[in-house]
Amino acid sequence: MRQLRTGFSANKRLSRRRLMQLGAMGLTGWMLSPIRFAAAALKDDLELVSRIPQMMEREGPMLVFRDFLADPDVEVAQHIRSQLGQRKDLLSQLRKKIGFEKQVRLSVEDIQVRLMFVPQLQEGHAAAYHHYCRDITNFLFEMNRMENFYAVISSPRESYPPVSETGISAFLVHRLAKDYRAVCKFTAESGCSVKYKATGAIFSNHLGAVDLEIQSMASGQFDLTRKPFTIWQNNTENLYTLMSVPVEETLHYQLGKATDREIATSMRNHPPESLSAAQRLAEEWMAVEESIVGGLVHCVLERYCIQHHMAVPASAPEKKPPLVPALRQYRYRDRGIQLVGNLGFQEATALYMNSPSDFRDQLIRQQDA
């Protein structure tokens, strides 16, 4: 029987230096393997994400995100105005009741909204988009040299997903729906008015949203808040739009600090006469915020795609018609994209964070040029 030898044979003896070299090489190989594996996994995820825009749109199952709450939702208010303005039967009844001649003024009051959602059900694609959202937001935080403020990024599969009490919660869904009820007030030229209750439901046309809410605290005093959660839909036919959603909403939370500071200063120096006046002021500044966000998103996606050796998707318009008319908050978007392109990512971000008014002035000068 041959004897089993233990240890090194004489002709394969290794020096101490060679052992150290092999040890270092082995450690390097061990460290690189997970990185290579992660890169390959992300490549597979991006491939799955690229297929999401071609997937079939679904209307169910419908789950509840949040029960009815007072919510001055701009999208819902605009939808109600659009729908009631087309109701010839209703206008005819109003003419008989309050006797307006040429026009009647409509104000939408006391809006309550219940948020509903259709979950992402395609296991592989849902997980891939989840991984992409985490990766692209981490990439953006590194670009901005700031800490990640998300407490959780999740894909809920049950009603009433919990919102974190610390940090921001981001929820990935297929579609977001809004069940609403509101009191509408119609006022004639004479001052006579009548109230009308409106109810209904819409699928949201906002693939992502960070809402700024204003509440009246006392005469001339208003409170500004942004919701501690954001809902990101994957229901789009455009890959560029799909990839933009987590970037855009993250930028809104970051830049929103400067926007809210500017609004608060303006209201302190020139107190609005009413809640509607304060809301108009906020809406104007949100349009300015949307303009810089639009430009920064493209910069982020361009750098991200370069890092992952992929082409930036074409930012083609959606093929399907929007569910609601284009919102006024995007009226400066094209000019903002051009201005950010001229200034550069870091310069534009620093300018806005330091003084949104200075950024707005350059935006206006660009319009007048």
Side-chain angles (χ1 to χ4, degrees):
M1 180 180 293
R2 297 182 58 184
Q3 183 178 0
L4 177 63
R5 295 192 177 191
T6 60
F8 293 109
S9 60
N11 62 345
K12 294 185 179 179
R13 185 170 297 160
L14 300 176
S15 67
R16 178 180 176 85
R17 180 179 179 183
R18 182 57 178 158
L19 282 170
M20 292 179 64
Q21 288 176 339
L22 286 176
M25 290 171 62
L27 179 61
T28 303
W30 179 85
M31 292 176 65
L32 285 177
S33 294
I35 296 175
R36 288 174 179 157
F37 177 79
L42 181 58
K43 183 178 180 181
D44 292 340
D45 286 337
L46 293 174
E47 175 63 28
L48 287 174
V49 168
S50 70
R51 300 176 189 173
I52 292 176
Q54 284 76 48
M55 301 184 76
M56 185 176 296
E57 181 179 74
R58 292 181 290 107
E59 296 188 359
M62 188 71 72
L63 305 177
V64 180
F65 180 85
R66 184 200 70 192
D67 285 324
F68 279 104
L69 285 178
D71 188 349
D73 190 290
V74 175
E75 186 179 29
V76 168
Q78 186 179 35
H79 171 79
I80 293 174
R81 291 176 184 278
S82 175
Q83 292 297 305
L84 295 185
Q86 299 174 29
R87 289 275 306 277
K88 293 183 179 180
D89 59 326
L90 178 61
L91 294 176
S92 178
Q93 294 175 24
L94 290 172
R95 191 182 298 275
K96 294 177 181 179
K97 283 189 175 182
I98 58 178
F100 71 92
E101 297 179 6
K102 294 183 179 180
Q103 61 181 4
V104 61
R105 186 172 72 252
L106 166 62
S107 59
V108 183
E109 306 170 350
D110 301 325
I111 302 176
Q112 292 188 325
V113 178
R114 177 172 62 177
L115 297 179
M116 314 281 286
F117 68 96
V118 179
Q120 299 184 98
L121 295 180
Q122 305 90 342
E123 290 290 343
H125 296 82
Y129 190 56
H130 188 186
H131 296 159
Y132 163 74
C133 288
R134 293 176 67 89
D135 193 63
I136 189 71
T137 51
N138 284 331
F139 181 82
L140 175 56
F141 286 125
E142 290 177 5
M143 281 184 64
N144 284 326
R145 300 182 180 88
M146 60 184 295
E147 291 187 9
N148 188 333
F149 50 64
Y150 286 114
V152 62
I153 298 178
S154 65
S155 302
R157 303 292 180 88
E158 297 180 354
S159 292
Y160 305 106
V163 177
S164 174
E165 296 182 359
T166 59
I168 305 298
S169 299
F171 299 98
L172 313 184
V173 305
H174 175 57
R175 301 183 77 182
L176 173 66
K178 299 176 180 180
D179 196 3
Y180 64 84
R181 53 196 185 199
V183 176
C184 303
K185 183 179 180 180
F186 293 91
T187 307
E189 297 96 336
S190 63
C192 293
S193 64
V194 64
K195 291 188 175 181
Y196 175 86
K197 290 184 178 180
T199 60
I202 59 172
F203 277 109
S204 175
N205 199 41
H206 293 171
L207 294 186
V210 176
D211 298 323
L212 173 62
E213 296 182 350
I214 299 182
Q215 293 180 319
S216 179
M217 308 303 292
S219 179
Q221 297 181 5
F222 304 91
D223 181 56
L224 304 175
T225 58
R226 295 194 185 227
K227 293 178 180 177
F229 65 86
T230 175
I231 301 175
W232 302 342
Q233 302 184 66
N234 73 354
N235 181 38
T236 174
E237 296 177 355
N238 185 352
L239 179 58
Y240 182 92
T241 303
L242 181 67
M243 295 181 68
S244 296
V245 171
V247 181
E248 184 165 344
E249 306 319 313
T250 302
L251 286 168
H252 274 301
Y253 276 115
Q254 179 195 359
L255 300 171
K257 297 177 181 179
T259 306
D260 299 352
R261 183 185 69 234
E262 195 75 22
I263 295 172
T265 299
S266 180
M267 290 195 298
R268 185 169 57 251
N269 295 336
H270 306 283
E273 297 180 355
S274 63
L275 177 60
S276 59
Q279 290 171 336
R280 287 194 297 272
L281 173 66
E283 191 273 337
E284 174 64 24
W285 274 110
M286 285 302 295
V288 176
E289 183 179 305
E290 288 287 357
S291 72
I292 181 173
V293 166
L296 295 178
V297 165
H298 186 76
C299 294
V300 175
L301 285 184
E302 189 173 51
R303 296 187 190 183
Y304 183 83
C305 290
I306 289 174
Q307 176 172 304
H308 294 288
H309 309 290
M310 59 183 291
V312 180
S315 54
E318 297 282 340
K319 295 179 182 178
K320 57 187 177 185
L323 302 180
V324 295
L327 297 177
R328 290 190 70 248
Q329 70 191 65
Y330 298 114
R331 59 188 176 275
Y332 303 137
R333 190 101 169 178
D334 291 342
R335 276 179 271 151
I337 292 173
Q338 183 179 351
L339 179 56
V340 172
N342 295 337
L343 293 173
F345 180 90
Q346 298 296 348
E347 292 77 5
T349 302
L351 174 62
Y352 193 89
M353 293 299 292
N354 183 60
S355 175
S357 291
D358 289 345
F359 182 90
R360 182 191 60 184
D361 292 344
Q362 291 199 33
L363 198 67
I364 294 173
R365 286 199 299 269
Q366 181 171 285
Q367 176 185 7
D368 297 335

